[in-house]
Amino acid sequence: MATIYEVSKLAGVSLATVSRVMNNNANVSDATRKKVTAAMDELGYRPNSIAQSLASNCSNSVGLLVSELQGPFYGPMMSGIENTFRNQGKHLIIAAGHSDEEREKQGIEFLISRNCDGLILHVEAVSDDYLIKLSKGRTPFVLINRYISELSDRCILLNNIKGGYLAAKHVLEQGHKNIAYISGPLWKQDAKDRLEGHKQALAEFNLEFDENLLFQGDFMEASGYEGLKALHEQTHPFTALICANDEMAVGAMASARDLGLTLPKQLSIMGYDNVFFTRHVYPQLSTVNYPIDEMGRMAADWVLNQVYQKQTPPLQTLFEPELVVRHSISRQSAQITSQG
Amino acid sequence: MATIYEVSKLAGVSLATVSRVMNNNANVSDATRKKVTAAMDELGYRPNSIAQSLASNCSNSVGLLVSELQGPFYGPMMSGIENTFRNQGKHLIIAAGHSDEEREKQGIEFLISRNCDGLILHVEAVSDDYLIKLSKGRTPFVLINRYISELSDRCILLNNIKGGYLAAKHVLEQGHKNIAYISGPLWKQDAKDRLEGHKQALAEFNLEFDENLLFQGDFMEASGYEGLKALHEQTHPFTALICANDEMAVGAMASARDLGLTLPKQLSIMGYDNVFFTRHVYPQLSTVNYPIDEMGRMAADWVLNQVYQKQTPPLQTLFEPELVVRHSISRQSAQITSQG
DNA sequence: ACATCAAATGTAAGCGCTTACATTTATAAC
DNA sequence: GTTATAAATGTAAGCGCTTACATTTGATGT
């Protein structure tokens, strides 16, 4: 691999001049610029970006930490981010945290030690304190889907209370009065918020939230399956089920079929996230849109703006959910009565 | 950020010794090792891996180029790869090629200029010649889902002929005789192979392949939708439709509903890939399993073995598809007759 | 006590770039 | 033709590490 030194020799100029034409940041005469680019072409020269990073203390790469590389949720987010950076000549280093504190920390440290200029973090397991301490460090970062008041200007969030409210309101408006709920893990803020919005809507309809109709899941499909099974076995009747995300909703749909329930006639089911496969399930799932791709792009814009001082559209940190009505909520449902 | 220099000062040893304890590759007395690690802890020292890469000419990172960061196919692949490398202390730099020749080349060059020790490529647009030339370069790479005879030992492939055969055979065994086919773009080898396997099965059942029942799609959902619409409008009847991947199959299912066809009674539909959402569509889609996660892990093993000289399970380059029977193929179908 | 040799440590030259500063060259004003 | 000033180019010192080679230290055998 040719180095800058060989290029400079071939072009008959100094290292510095070659560097200047690469970064075209200083005055270089047309004649020498031509000589240099010719030499580069001849040698097939490619700058070694590791060396560039070390020397300039700027790697032109930003780190992205997500929980998982797979799954319907992270794909669109990564894609939105990658796109934005590609257009700006920045590069993406991706690590997965697997919702595990140790691995999340490892991932963050790797990205920092890799001289990332900025970080986009979607972390769940790491503590607020850790992040606050991290914010004092040299690598700026933005948080997706996590709120820490001390870091509020770098938290990109969905209004989950509103989302929970929207979902419940829609179901209530269809005439349902007994509504079961499968939540996410309630130590997570988003799970809590969605449930809070749910309760607000209930209150607005003068209905009380029935704790017996709450099942705490973990945002995974299996817990949706288990959740509906468990709810079906207890004695309080319900005609609709709201799940705190689409994966659990899909699990619940499978469960409903195994229980012999006709959807949506005997049981209405509502999801959350508007993950792409919700259009493909049967019946098509009504849900709440989580504009995760947009939020990813916004996170990328944040980095562009705050780290690279680029012009960007105005930064926005709070995003609004939207109701997506499809065919999984029936207008009037027969009550499922208890098993006992 | 503390540097190795500060650590050496604090510990009262030379740079080299600090480096040695980091890499524990030479004789260092217990006493000094202790002094050094204590100094590291005190300073919260983290080696700068950019500098390490530059000096050692080994970045401990491997590059991965995929077409898209999203979609049901690449997620499991990336995840399998990331997992393997995490366990070995290697890191992953991901770029997307978007099936575009220029962008694929850019991506590859970026990864190389980033001093990746090895590359895993899932490329579609770049030419064989380009890859052959690339193989002469300094960065070793392995190809997923692409066959180039000159590079055959580094091509990790699915036996697509067999897969196409399996799908068709299953449909034939259920008694279907008139089978429509929505292929991928036929300039792509995998699309060609799947169709070839399809024809083999037909031949085995003494059936002729009807060109009128072939629609060439592009592996995307929309082309499945359009494909079935077009097939339905022509005059040759068929009772089953085989799609060259699941996305098109899902598109075709939507199309079938719009055409008022009951699935699978009036039309049987078969997919290919066994993407995770095939279990969630209705009726659940019968398909052919593409073990992409395993193949990703194998690619990672290849790099570990060939680039880092690690012990790995034996390298395997050809993977076998498997039939996945679910509920989208009916035993005996009423014939769809022509529209005309 | 001395030589011998291995183990432990230090020295310093890079890795391929960037950039502050110094120097040279061209341009313009008088 | 000077001189002042700006533009173009060169010089060399790093960036934070690794590693070949040199040196020192400590055992061991005699």
Side-chain angles (χ1 to χ4, degrees):
Chain A
M1 204 64 176
T3 72
I4 197 176
Y5 175 74
E6 300 169 47
V7 173
S8 75
K9 279 251 290 249
L10 212 184
V13 297
S14 71
L15 294 187
T17 301
V18 176
S19 176
R20 283 183 191 112
V21 350
M22 287 197 327
N23 304 300
N24 64 167
N25 53 357
N27 302 313
V28 180
S29 73
D30 281 2
T32 51
R33 165 164 279 123
K34 234 168 246 167
K35 276 193 299 185
V36 171
T37 48
M40 285 176 167
D41 286 351
E42 191 176 334
L43 294 171
Y45 171 75
R46 299 279 145 210
N48 178 326
S49 59
I50 292 277
Q52 288 179 316
S53 300
L54 185 59
S56 67
N57 199 30
C58 169
S59 61
N60 276 319
S61 65
V62 350
L64 172 61
L65 185 76
V66 296
S67 295
E68 299 297 336
L69 262 29
Q70 59 186 318
F73 191 77
Y74 296 105
M77 173 176 137
M78 294 192 286
S79 202
I81 293 172
E82 204 260 349
N83 242 293
T84 300
F85 285 137
R86 248 303 154 95
N87 294 333
Q88 299 286 331
K90 307 300 175 198
H91 299 288
L92 240 204
I93 303 187
I94 298 186
H98 300 288
S99 306
D100 174 84
E101 180 165 8
E102 232 9 82
R103 298 176 86 171
E104 286 184 353
K105 282 186 183 173
Q106 272 177 22
I108 291 172
E109 269 169 21
F110 164 62
L111 294 171
I112 289 177
S113 75
R114 234 27 237 177
N115 277 23
C116 285
D117 301 324
L119 260 37
I120 298 176
L121 305 178
H122 185 290
V123 287
E124 325 195 57
V126 120
S127 71
D128 282 10
D129 282 349
Y130 175 85
L131 289 169
I132 291 171
K133 200 173 297 166
L134 190 66
S135 71
K136 314 270 204 274
R138 72 179 153 103
T139 309
F141 61 86
V142 57
L143 258 18
I144 293 187
N145 196 35
R146 172 140 186 180
Y147 183 74
I148 299 178
S149 57
E150 289 89 338
L151 268 32
S152 60
D153 52 327
R154 33 169 115 179
C155 295
I156 295 183
L157 296 169
L158 181 68
N159 187 342
N160 276 309
I161 297 182
K162 173 126 170 251
Y165 171 83
L166 252 29
K169 186 171 167 228
H170 174 65
V171 172
L172 288 162
E173 284 173 348
Q174 300 309 304
H176 296 270
K177 300 226 179 319
N178 301 297
I179 304 175
Y181 192 90
I182 300 182
S183 75
L186 288 173
W187 56 269
K188 288 192 181 176
Q189 191 60 44
D190 51 355
K192 253 193 293 195
D193 286 352
R194 289 172 193 192
L195 181 54
E196 184 182 330
H198 178 83
K199 289 179 179 172
Q200 279 182 10
L202 246 39
E204 216 167 76
F205 278 72
N206 295 314
L207 256 24
E208 236 172 69
F209 179 71
D210 183 350
E211 291 285 344
N212 297 293
L213 258 30
L214 169 67
F215 180 91
Q216 187 174 159
D218 61 4
F219 281 142
M220 315 255 260
E221 188 179 341
S223 76
Y225 188 95
E226 291 310 319
L228 178 54
K229 216 171 115 192
L231 288 166
H232 192 252
E233 276 164 5
Q234 54 84 54
T235 56
H236 293 234
F238 56 95
T239 60
L241 168 67
I242 298 185
C243 296
N245 78 349
D246 292 333
E247 324 244 351
M248 295 194 297
V250 160
M253 287 174 84
S255 194
R257 285 211 182 84
D258 286 357
L259 293 168
L261 265 25
T262 309
L263 301 177
K265 214 171 147 202
Q266 292 181 274
L267 179 65
S268 292
I269 297 184
M270 178 96 199
Y272 196 116
D273 278 352
N274 194 25
V275 133
F276 80 97
F277 66 72
T278 49
R279 284 179 300 118
H280 300 321
V281 299
Y282 186 82
Q284 291 189 2
L285 192 64
S286 291
T287 186
V288 171
N289 187 53
Y290 191 141
I292 185 61
D293 48 343
E294 269 183 65
M295 288 167 66
R297 273 193 291 275
M298 181 54 63
D301 277 344
W302 189 95
V303 171
L304 249 23
N305 185 302
Q306 300 288 303
V307 177
Y308 296 112
Q309 282 80 44
K310 296 246 182 192
Q311 280 290 4
T312 60
L315 264 26
Q316 170 191 359
T317 110
L318 188 65
F319 284 73
E320 295 299 327
E322 264 171 31
L323 186 67
V324 178
V325 177
R326 288 201 273 252
H327 312 303
S328 64
I329 311 291
S330 64
R331 178 85 193 100
Q332 195 71 11
S333 245
Q335 295 228 155
I336 298 174
T337 52
S338 70
Q339 302 288 76
Chain B
M1 206 62 174
T3 74
I4 197 177
Y5 176 74
E6 300 168 46
V7 173
S8 76
K9 279 249 293 246
L10 211 182
V13 298
S14 72
L15 294 186
T17 301
V18 176
S19 177
R20 283 182 191 111
V21 349
M22 285 195 333
N23 304 299
N24 63 166
N25 54 357
N27 303 313
V28 180
S29 73
D30 281 2
T32 52
R33 165 164 278 122
K34 234 168 248 165
K35 273 192 300 185
V36 171
T37 48
M40 284 176 168
D41 287 351
E42 191 176 333
L43 294 171
Y45 171 75
R46 298 280 145 209
N48 177 326
S49 60
I50 292 275
Q52 288 179 317
S53 300
L54 185 61
S56 67
N57 200 30
C58 169
S59 62
N60 277 319
S61 66
V62 350
L64 172 61
L65 186 75
V66 296
S67 295
E68 299 298 337
L69 262 28
Q70 60 186 317
F73 191 77
Y74 296 104
M77 174 177 136
M78 292 192 286
S79 200
I81 294 172
E82 204 260 349
N83 241 293
T84 301
F85 285 136
R86 248 303 154 96
N87 293 333
Q88 298 285 333
K90 308 298 176 200
H91 298 288
L92 238 205
I93 303 187
I94 298 186
H98 300 288
S99 305
D100 173 84
E101 180 165 10
E102 232 11 80
R103 298 176 87 171
E104 285 184 354
K105 282 187 183 172
Q106 273 176 22
I108 291 172
E109 269 167 22
F110 164 61
L111 294 171
I112 290 177
S113 74
R114 229 35 231 176
N115 277 21
C116 285
D117 301 324
L119 261 35
I120 298 176
L121 305 179
H122 185 291
V123 286
E124 324 194 59
V126 120
S127 73
D128 282 11
D129 282 349
Y130 174 85
L131 290 169
I132 291 171
K133 200 172 298 166
L134 191 66
S135 72
K136 313 270 204 272
R138 72 179 152 105
T139 308
F141 62 86
V142 57
L143 258 17
I144 294 188
N145 196 37
R146 172 138 186 181
Y147 182 73
I148 299 177
S149 57
E150 288 90 336
L151 269 29
S152 61
D153 52 325
R154 33 170 116 175
C155 295
I156 295 184
L157 295 168
L158 182 68
N159 188 341
N160 276 308
I161 297 182
K162 173 125 170 251
Y165 171 84
L166 252 28
K169 186 171 166 226
H170 173 65
V171 171
L172 289 161
E173 284 174 349
Q174 300 310 304
H176 296 270
K177 299 225 179 318
N178 300 297
I179 304 174
Y181 191 90
I182 300 181
S183 74
L186 288 172
W187 57 268
K188 287 192 182 176
Q189 191 60 43
D190 51 354
K192 254 195 292 197
D193 286 352
R194 290 173 192 191
L195 181 54
E196 185 182 329
H198 178 83
K199 289 179 178 172
Q200 279 183 11
L202 246 39
E204 217 167 74
F205 278 71
N206 294 314
L207 255 24
E208 237 172 69
F209 179 71
D210 183 350
E211 291 285 344
N212 297 292
L213 258 29
L214 170 66
F215 180 91
Q216 187 175 160
D218 62 3
F219 281 143
M220 315 256 258
E221 187 178 343
S223 76
Y225 188 95
E226 289 310 319
L228 178 54
K229 217 172 116 192
L231 289 165
H232 192 253
E233 277 165 4
Q234 55 84 56
T235 57
H236 293 236
F238 55 95
T239 60
L241 168 67
I242 298 184
C243 296
N245 77 351
D246 292 333
E247 323 244 351
M248 294 194 298
V250 161
M253 285 174 85
S255 194
R257 283 208 185 87
D258 286 357
L259 294 166
L261 265 26
T262 309
L263 301 177
K265 216 171 148 202
Q266 292 180 275
L267 179 66
S268 292
I269 297 184
M270 179 96 197
Y272 196 115
D273 280 349
N274 193 25
V275 133
F276 80 96
F277 67 71
T278 49
R279 285 178 299 117
H280 300 321
V281 299
Y282 185 81
Q284 290 189 2
L285 192 65
S286 291
T287 186
V288 172
N289 187 53
Y290 191 142
I292 185 62
D293 48 343
E294 270 183 65
M295 289 168 66
R297 273 192 292 274
M298 180 55 63
D301 277 344
W302 189 95
V303 171
L304 250 23
N305 186 302
Q306 300 288 303
V307 178
Y308 296 111
Q309 281 80 42
K310 296 247 180 191
Q311 280 290 4
T312 59
L315 262 27
Q316 170 191 358
T317 95
L318 190 64
F319 284 73
E320 296 298 328
E322 265 172 31
L323 186 67
V324 178
V325 177
R326 288 201 272 253
H327 312 303
S328 64
I329 311 290
S330 65
R331 178 88 193 98
Q332 196 71 12
S333 249
Q335 296 225 158
I336 299 175
T337 52
S338 71
Q339 303 288 75

